[in-house]
Amino acid sequence: MDTTPPPLVKRLRDHVRLAAACAFSAVAVLYAVLCMKLTVVDMTDGVCDFGGCPRGLDWLLLWALVAGLAAGGLWWSAVKGRGYRSAVGWLVAVTVGLVALWPGWLGFSWLRGPHMDLFSYQVPDGPGADKPLGSWAGDPAAGFVIRARADGVTGYNGEGRRGWSLPAPAGGAVCAMSAETPSDTGLLTLTTAESTCGNRLVAVDVTSGKQLWTKDIPKLVGKPSAGGSMAVTASADAVLAHDLGTGAELWRSPLPEGAVATEVAAGPDRVLLLARTDKGVELFALGARTGAVAWRFPMPVGYESPRIVSASPAAAVGDGRLVVFDDAGRPGAGAEAPYVPTTGEAEWLVAGDVLYASVPEREQRELLAAFSLKDGRHLWTRAFDHDWRIRALAADRTGRIAVVTEGAYTHLWHLDPGTGKPAGESTVLRGLRLGESFALHGRTFVNLDDDARLPPIFDVAPTIGW
């Protein structure tokens, strides 16, 4: 009985074998080249240890081997059946092989996960530039950011170009800036030629750079604070509140006898003041309408100085312990929580009624912990791979918590604020010139080191290519 297939069926089989052999060969070569690139260029260590192995390399090696073996078997079958002698078959096979590169590339992109690299940047300040003091977000949706240095404040538009500039007074300097910008108004303390830092309070419209008002106040201390409709500062002898929009003085509250102010924070309902007194470091709560002292509380003091976390709700950290207060100044019991440092590379983030902070785990790595500012409860802890450091915290436009971690690679995470679970895979940030101190606003990074060789700001975008 003759089992030889008809000539047309045999030709179709030969063409399919040849096309499949070309397709698997193309993918095998593509994956081999990509494996070499990841191993030679992207791998941070000589071996894949301590997180130094590029993400997806192990699976990519496996699929390169599978594609190579499949291609070898198909080529053997095509040669054995002499299906390589058809010009039409070769044309179809080469076309299929080229087309197969696209799904092969998509598979590689899926295996390695999301990546971002440099999109645009502002040229470095150059030698002689003053040390940066901090940054504000003007319009996060448009990517507008503001960066302050001792010699002035500069706004950058969404494309990284200079939008406006506010220089320091002649012979003077910018001393400090508020952390908050309610109603698009930020506060600066300046020094003039006749005074040490600082003796002038300035309110700035962060969208235009316009000075809204200016007040000369002798012997300002620490950073100003903008909260609700108030601008609050501390001087050598008093706490002062001004209307945030007009600069009109609302009240002046003298410091207790012998007290030295260290920090103030303003909220809609109260103003908090940390001051050194003859009893140690005390936290004072002042009424937002009159400045009268509502209550005072002696803060625990350890190796690190106490700091105010939030004015509304009222919360502070002393001796590594978060303390929250009710309206009468009674500290909440809270729950047993990890040690909360008051110093570190990553600043705290307060979003809503929750504090997000980097906390150490037995001096081995850093964890991100969330604490309720209503009752002091420890809500959740998020661990990251290996010994990665937490470099920056920010709240994104969707309400998630953006976290930049650094280990063998720099990653950008977006976490659910309620649970700490990541919203998808982390994004690898490639080839970014980051200093030790920086801020993140959306996709815009602001370098805050005094290294004038670093770009002051830059934006990132999804990586195109390998």
Side-chain angles (χ1 to χ4, degrees):
M1 181 176 174
D2 186 10
T3 58
T4 304
L8 178 60
V9 174
K10 183 178 183 305
R11 286 199 301 272
L12 287 176
R13 288 179 180 176
D14 291 342
H15 292 170
V16 169
R17 290 192 189 100
L18 190 62
C22 282
F24 277 99
S25 297
V27 172
V29 171
L30 172 65
Y31 282 4
V33 171
L34 292 172
C35 286
M36 288 293 295
K37 190 265 180 183
L38 293 181
T39 304
V40 175
V41 178
D42 292 349
M43 188 178 291
T44 60
D45 298 317
V47 293
C48 285
D49 59 356
F50 304 109
C53 188
R55 187 168 59 189
L57 177 59
D58 49 354
W59 283 102
L60 190 64
L61 286 168
L62 175 62
W63 283 111
L65 178 61
V66 170
L69 292 174
L74 288 165
W75 278 117
W76 179 84
S77 178
V79 170
K80 181 181 179 182
R82 297 179 180 275
Y84 57 86
R85 296 185 297 178
S86 169
V88 174
W90 273 109
L91 178 62
V92 173
V94 171
T95 302
V96 171
L98 293 175
V99 171
L101 292 174
W102 177 241
W105 176 265
L106 293 179
F108 163 70
S109 297
W110 180 78
L111 287 174
R112 72 172 181 174
H115 282 229
M116 283 187 174
D117 54 18
L118 190 66
F119 176 69
S120 65
Y121 68 96
Q122 180 72 215
V123 296
D125 295 325
D130 289 337
K131 186 183 186 307
L133 300 174
S135 66
W136 291 321
D139 182 359
F144 197 93
V145 298
I146 297 93
R147 183 174 183 258
R149 297 189 324 200
D151 59 353
V153 184
T154 303
Y156 299 89
N157 64 20
E159 297 178 349
R161 293 193 295 267
R162 293 174 182 261
W164 54 261
S165 181
L166 182 63
V174 180
C175 302
M177 61 191 300
S178 63
E180 316 86 357
T181 57
S183 304
D184 291 329
T185 303
L187 299 176
L188 301 171
T189 57
L190 311 177
T191 180
T192 61
E194 296 81 19
S195 174
T196 57
C197 222
N199 66 323
R200 179 173 295 174
L201 177 64
V202 178
V204 180
D205 183 337
V206 298
T207 61
S208 65
K210 179 183 177 182
Q211 294 189 46
L212 302 178
W213 49 266
T214 300
K215 294 289 181 180
D216 287 333
I217 306 172
K219 299 180 181 178
L220 289 171
V221 176
K223 295 182 178 181
S225 178
S229 60
M230 289 190 305
V232 177
T233 54
S235 68
D237 56 7
V239 177
L240 299 94
H242 295 82
D243 184 272
L244 188 61
T246 65
E249 184 174 313
L250 302 177
W251 48 261
R252 178 185 297 255
S253 180
L255 295 179
E257 182 70 26
V260 177
T262 61
E263 186 179 1
V264 291
D269 306 320
R270 70 181 61 83
V271 172
L272 292 186
L273 163 70
L274 268 179
R276 294 189 182 90
T277 68
D278 55 1
K279 297 180 181 179
V281 178
E282 293 189 78
L283 181 69
F284 296 82
L286 313 179
R289 296 183 60 185
T290 64
V293 176
W295 50 264
R296 58 196 294 179
F297 181 83
M299 290 295 298
V301 178
Y303 292 106
E304 299 172 349
S305 300
R307 284 183 58 189
I308 297 172
V309 173
S310 167
S312 183
V317 168
D319 195 21
R321 183 167 63 93
L322 175 66
V323 185
V324 299
F325 303 89
D326 62 15
D327 291 339
R330 294 185 294 263
E336 196 66 28
Y339 171 81
V340 182
T342 58
T343 59
E345 293 179 357
E347 286 292 325
W348 298 332
L349 173 66
V350 176
D353 294 333
V354 179
L355 166 68
Y356 303 91
S358 169
V359 299
E361 182 192 48
R362 298 186 182 92
E363 299 182 356
Q364 294 180 356
R365 60 175 176 176
E366 291 178 331
L367 310 176
L368 183 65
F371 307 90
S372 170
L373 296 182
K374 292 183 177 179
D375 53 21
R377 286 184 301 115
H378 173 216
L379 302 177
W380 52 259
T381 298
R382 172 70 188 175
F384 298 97
D385 294 341
H386 308 286
D387 57 351
W388 291 353
R389 294 185 299 160
I390 296 173
R391 298 294 310 280
L393 301 171
D396 66 17
R397 287 183 290 164
T398 64
R400 296 175 300 180
I401 305 305
V403 186
V404 177
T405 61
E406 184 179 71
Y409 302 94
T410 303
H411 286 247
L412 174 61
W413 304 76
H414 290 89
L415 308 182
D416 183 289
T419 64
K421 294 181 178 179
E425 205 168 11
S426 65
T427 299
V428 178
L429 303 175
R430 306 195 329 190
L432 304 185
R433 297 181 61 192
L434 286 172
E436 283 299 311
S437 177
F438 62 88
L440 173 63
H441 302 289
R443 290 186 177 182
T444 302
F445 287 79
V446 182
N447 270 317
L448 299 175
D449 273 7
D450 56 358
D451 187 346
R453 298 170 297 178
L454 296 172
I457 72 163
F458 59 84
D459 296 316
V460 295
T463 298
I464 299 175
W466 66 3

